[in-house]
């Protein structure tokens, strides 16, 4: 008798809850806004930004079959998407970008990856480190 949503929430690590907390709501708002926006010809910047962020979140949560991500990888890419670091990554390049990021992340942030994989939450220091490393990776990715 326990519902799937209750079990799912209890099974999530603290870090996943931190970065994915607004994911469901954000994607629902995106879908609603996208269905409305198809009939509108002129959208304000805030609406365009919200549509772009929802589009990037949709691309980020896609993953190839039989290629599960570690908790740390999930946290890192959801953090990047939520903070807008993926807004300028083309949708068609998202899988390539993510693969490269995961290699970079696992090679350069082993300590953080280990803590996140062992159910630790993200500290402010961790967020700053992620921000810095995502920016460095983006420079190398975009040349």
């Amino acid at each position: 008798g326990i519902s799937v949503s209750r079990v799912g929430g209890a099974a999530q690590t603290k870090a996943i809850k931190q970065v994915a907390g607004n994911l469901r709501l954000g994607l629902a708002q995106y879908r609603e806004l996208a269905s409305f926006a198809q009939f509108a010809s002129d959208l304000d910047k805030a609406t365009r930004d919200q549509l772009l962020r929802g589009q990037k979140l949709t691309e980020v949560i896609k993953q190839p079959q039989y290629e599960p991500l570690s908790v740390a990888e999930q946290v890192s890419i959801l953090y990047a998407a939520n903070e807008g670091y993926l807004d300028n990554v083309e949708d068609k390049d998202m899988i390539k970008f993510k693969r490269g990021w995961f290699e970079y992340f696992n090679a350069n942030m082993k300590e953080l990856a280990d803590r996140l994989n062992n159910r630790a939450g993200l500290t402010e220091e961790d967020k700053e480190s992620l921000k810095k490393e995502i920016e460095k990776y983006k420079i190398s990715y975009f040349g």
Side-chain angles (χ1 to χ4, degrees):
I2 300 177
S3 76
V4 173
S5 60
R6 288 185 190 187
V7 171
Q12 290 179 342
T13 67
K14 183 177 179 182
I16 289 286
K17 287 179 186 177
Q18 286 175 293
V19 295
N22 296 326
L23 184 63
R24 183 175 42 185
L25 178 62
L27 287 173
Q29 289 173 338
Y30 160 69
R31 288 186 193 109
E32 185 176 321
L33 191 57
S35 66
F36 169 76
Q38 69 186 0
F39 301 109
S41 59
D42 190 28
L43 301 173
D44 64 11
K45 182 179 176 357
T47 302
R48 287 193 312 270
D49 289 348
Q50 189 173 3
L51 285 169
L52 177 66
R53 185 66 44 81
Q55 183 180 339
K56 295 306 170 189
L57 284 171
T58 300
E59 291 302 313
V60 159
I61 61 175
K62 293 178 183 177
Q63 71 185 73
Q65 190 173 11
Y66 308 119
E67 293 183 28
L69 300 177
S70 70
V71 170
E73 290 169 339
Q74 292 174 55
V75 169
S76 72
I77 200 68
L78 288 173
Y79 175 82
N82 286 333
E83 298 299 314
Y85 294 111
L86 306 181
D87 288 357
N88 63 341
V89 177
E90 295 290 328
D91 291 351
K92 64 182 176 55
D93 298 330
M94 190 63 73
I95 290 175
K96 179 182 173 188
F97 181 90
K98 289 186 335 183
R99 279 195 179 120
W101 164 249
F102 296 145
E103 287 176 21
Y104 180 94
F105 173 74
N106 288 317
N108 295 292
M109 302 190 80
K110 281 186 182 295
E111 190 176 302
L112 176 59
D114 288 343
R115 281 190 291 123
L116 293 175
N117 284 329
N118 288 304
R119 304 187 67 81
L122 275 175
T123 65
E124 288 304 314
E125 184 180 303
D126 294 337
K127 291 176 186 178
E128 283 301 313
S129 294
L130 268 174
K131 177 182 174 180
K132 186 175 90 177
E133 293 301 325
I134 291 166
E135 289 171 351
K136 280 177 31 179
Y137 173 71
K138 283 182 69 174
I139 289 169
S140 69
Y141 180 83
F142 287 114

